[in-house]
Amino acid sequence: METQGESGAAGAHWERLAPHVVRRRLPGWDATVGAIAGTDGVLVVDTGSSLREGAVIRREVQQIFGLPVTHIALTHPHFDHILGTAAFSGVQVYGAVGLGELLRHEHEREELRRDAVRYGVPREAAAEAVEMLVPPQHAVSGELTVDLGGGRRVLLANVGPGHTAYDLAVLVPGEDGAPEVVFCGDVVEESGEPQAGPDALPHAWPTAVDRLLTLGGEESVYVPGHGAVVDAAFVRRQGEALRARFGVS
């Protein structure tokens, strides 16, 4: 199965990483969203910063693959990665264990709205997205495999804590000679120094990077939460830099 829209208006925004695997760098905060297709449906990695952005992602992914979005994996609970989720009605949503409970707390939802507005999401759009926010129905405590049909199985791995207490990575096994692809969330960032907010766990973050490398190995393609695609050497260097930055031995 080849992507149908890669040369069209939808596909122009998306980078092909492997057969049936694409990603897009969203405007604004350069956050990554990914999409992996099987024969039965598509898993989307993260959903953008608003319902409008989520709707664009859903439409473009459907145009590219000619298949519905059936699954969502949320890499961590920051506004630029999750506030588009409600635009994907009827989809199975996965997150690290505890994320669902976190996103049901009124205090946390209010903090999410404030963060979105603080960083430039229009106030009404942020309020709407938070009000309609869909917490994950499926909690990943270790590793979990999602079957997208046609032999396409995607591994979801709880690699945190690190950037947050709820860091989820997505491993796409290689096929047709292509390398494996690892969607890292913000455990890895390429377009700037990794951002450590008040919900980061600096002492544990380098170990989360180590888990990513164990998950993907030396030959995988690694997709940061922000920035260009990188290799294992870059991920290793970033882990070492985090150890030095946070004084972790």
Side-chain angles (χ1 to χ4, degrees):
M1 179 183 61
E2 294 296 326
T3 55
Q4 297 181 1
E6 288 186 7
S7 61
H13 298 303
W14 294 79
E15 177 184 358
R16 185 178 185 271
L17 304 177
H20 326 314
V21 184
V22 297
R23 75 92 176 237
R24 181 177 175 183
R25 295 169 68 170
L26 297 172
W29 300 275
D30 192 27
T32 283
V33 294
I36 304 106
T39 56
D40 298 337
V42 180
L43 182 144
V44 165
V45 183
D46 289 342
T47 61
S49 61
S50 68
L51 293 175
R52 180 177 181 180
E53 202 160 59
V56 169
I57 294 163
R58 184 170 191 168
R59 182 176 66 249
E60 291 184 348
V61 167
Q62 289 176 330
Q63 289 173 355
I64 289 170
F65 292 115
L67 290 167
V69 176
T70 51
H71 301 77
I72 287 172
L74 298 177
T75 62
H76 63 288
H78 288 166
F79 79 92
D80 48 335
H81 295 263
I82 70 169
L83 285 188
T85 305
F88 297 79
S89 59
V91 173
Q92 297 299 304
V93 183
Y94 295 77
V97 66
L99 179 59
E101 290 78 3
L102 179 81
L103 296 181
R104 292 184 183 93
H105 290 168
E106 189 59 37
H107 171 74
E108 297 296 337
R109 293 165 74 95
E110 177 60 18
E111 285 299 308
L112 194 60
R113 185 195 66 78
R114 290 176 180 170
D115 273 351
V117 172
R118 184 181 305 121
Y119 284 99
V121 176
R123 191 173 301 274
E124 290 185 2
E128 180 185 29
V130 170
E131 180 180 354
M132 298 178 67
L133 186 61
V134 179
Q137 307 104 340
H138 305 282
V140 182
S141 59
E143 296 180 353
L144 185 152
T145 299
V146 176
D147 190 343
L148 298 175
R152 171 63 86 190
R153 292 178 174 84
V154 177
L155 182 69
L156 310 183
N158 187 332
V159 297
H163 177 66
T164 72
Y166 311 97
D167 292 323
L168 188 74
V170 178
L171 171 69
V172 187
E175 63 175 37
D176 299 332
E180 294 184 334
V181 178
V182 182
F183 289 91
C184 305
D186 285 6
V187 174
V188 176
E189 297 188 40
E190 186 277 334
S191 54
E193 185 175 55
Q195 296 300 300
D199 57 347
L201 291 93
H203 68 283
W205 197 336
T207 301
V209 175
D210 293 343
R211 292 192 186 106
L212 284 175
L213 289 166
T214 299
L215 185 68
E218 291 301 312
E219 303 302 322
S220 290
V221 170
Y222 291 86
V223 187
H226 300 263
V229 170
V230 300
D231 59 12
F234 179 96
V235 175
R236 186 171 294 104
R237 288 194 301 271
Q238 189 154 105
E240 292 167 355
L242 288 168
R243 281 188 166 86
R245 175 179 170 188
F246 298 129
V248 178
S249 58

